[in-house]
Amino acid sequence: MFRNQYDTDVTTWSPAGRLFQVEYAMEAVKQGSAAIGLRSKTHVVLACVNKANSELSSHQKKIFHVADHIGVAIAGLTADGRVLSRYMRSECINYNYTYDSPLPVGRLVVQLADKAQVCTQRSWKRPYGVGLLVGGLDESGAHLYYNCPSGNYFEYQAFAIGSRSQAAKTYLERRFESFKDSSRDDLIKDALIATRETLQGEKLRSSICTIAVVGAGEPFHILDQDTVQKLIDAFEIVAEEDVPAAESGGADDQSAALEEGAPADQGAAPDEGVAPMDI
């Protein structure tokens, strides 16, 4: 993206009908470290990648507690995410004080989207450069929403935002149909595997990821590093056991194909160069 005469403020339209500063804010979300959300009927799991600026510094907090039934994971400018999470926390407290009941997740998301939209309509403001995955549980069940800097919001079964999130989306698209009936532990396992997909070969460790859970009878909380590391070790052992079985199965298929006089990779050719589906 390059500067042009139509991006001096957020209220200037380009001839093509675009608001460039809003697009720049959405690009900031793509440049942030990855955040992932999954939901079943009873639970929502949020995961994020922790990136430190240097080996001497700690990482920025990417998952925030909003209320006992709501949490949020962010990608983009963490300062903007911190301000918006504080706003969400205040709205939950005020609603609970006024009506003596927890704020529905959908209503909070609409209020958050309205707040973001105002910043696209005032020349003295700038859009929030952060995307938020809002997970929560209310009377209508578990919910996972994505709030965009443009003021749009969408509800998802599973979603990923941030840098290299396309690899996680591809994994989630293959598995999302089973998430609805998944157990809590299965959701966490899928969240960890999706997080690993965004690391591009880097080993997944509890020090570079954060996992949070909210569900029926379980208030929103962030899992400690020891628990996360045990879960990582458990699913990697299963993966190692599956690899030799898959290799032996592939060898059997190859030998069978050779016996029939057909090339072993005949069925793989049409799939080459197929791009993963984008959302």
Side-chain angles (χ1 to χ4, degrees):
M1 291 185 178
F2 302 96
R3 282 191 57 83
N4 57 66
Q5 59 183 325
Y6 300 108
D7 66 354
T8 53
D9 64 65
V10 74
T11 60
T12 301
W13 292 93
S14 75
R18 298 166 65 181
L19 293 173
F20 284 103
Q21 285 205 8
V22 176
E23 294 183 16
Y24 296 162
M26 296 168 70
E27 186 65 24
V29 177
K30 296 179 183 178
Q31 299 297 327
S33 56
I36 297 164
L38 306 86
R39 72 178 174 94
S40 66
K41 290 180 179 177
T42 57
H43 287 81
V44 180
V45 174
L46 299 176
C48 70
V49 176
N50 302 328
K51 288 174 61 178
N53 293 329
S54 72
E55 295 181 358
L56 300 177
S57 69
S58 63
H59 61 81
Q60 291 279 359
K61 188 176 181 182
K62 300 292 297 296
I63 295 181
F64 298 94
H65 175 276
V66 175
D68 284 345
H69 66 297
I70 299 177
V72 60
I74 67 169
L77 299 180
T78 53
D80 287 1
R82 190 173 62 248
V83 169
L84 289 177
S85 65
R86 187 166 60 241
Y87 165 78
M88 296 167 69
R89 199 174 296 123
S90 297
E91 290 299 311
C92 287
I93 292 172
N94 292 337
Y95 186 94
N96 191 38
Y97 178 80
T98 304
Y99 300 104
D100 197 23
S101 63
L103 176 60
V105 183
R107 183 175 297 185
L108 177 62
V109 168
V110 171
Q111 292 176 344
L112 182 64
D114 290 344
K115 185 177 178 66
Q117 191 276 335
V118 169
C119 294
T120 69
Q121 210 175 0
R122 302 286 187 270
S123 60
W124 61 91
K125 293 185 177 184
R126 67 159 176 84
Y128 292 105
V130 64
L132 299 98
L133 288 176
V134 183
L137 191 76
D138 55 26
E139 294 179 352
S140 59
H143 300 279
L144 176 67
Y145 291 91
Y146 169 55
N147 277 75
C148 183
S150 64
N152 288 326
Y153 64 94
F154 309 91
E155 186 169 11
Y156 287 94
Q157 187 71 42
F159 198 56
I161 57 176
S163 62
R164 299 193 292 273
S165 60
Q166 182 57 54
K169 288 180 189 176
T170 304
Y171 172 80
L172 295 173
E173 286 164 5
R174 293 199 307 264
R175 299 270 302 164
F176 79 95
E177 292 180 352
S178 65
F179 292 161
K180 193 170 185 180
D181 298 318
S182 292
S183 65
R184 173 186 182 274
D185 292 340
D186 288 339
L187 274 186
I188 295 175
K189 177 180 176 181
D190 284 316
L192 287 170
I193 296 175
T195 304
R196 186 183 61 182
E197 295 294 316
T198 68
L199 299 179
Q200 288 190 336
E202 185 180 353
K203 183 176 175 62
L204 179 64
R205 305 185 305 276
S206 61
S207 59
I208 62 173
C209 69
T210 303
I211 303 291
V213 183
V214 62
E218 183 177 11
F220 182 86
H221 66 286
I222 297 174
L223 302 182
D224 59 77
Q225 284 195 1
D226 292 338
T227 303
V228 174
Q229 188 60 51
K230 289 178 182 176
L231 293 168
I232 292 172
D233 295 339
F235 93 75
E236 285 189 345
I237 290 172
V238 172
E240 290 174 0
E241 291 175 350
D242 289 345
V243 169
E247 290 177 352
S248 63
D252 294 340
D253 294 341
Q254 185 175 5
S255 61
L258 290 173
E259 289 175 1
E260 294 174 2
D265 59 349
Q266 183 177 1
D271 293 333
E272 293 179 0
V274 176
M277 183 172 59
D278 194 10
I279 297 180

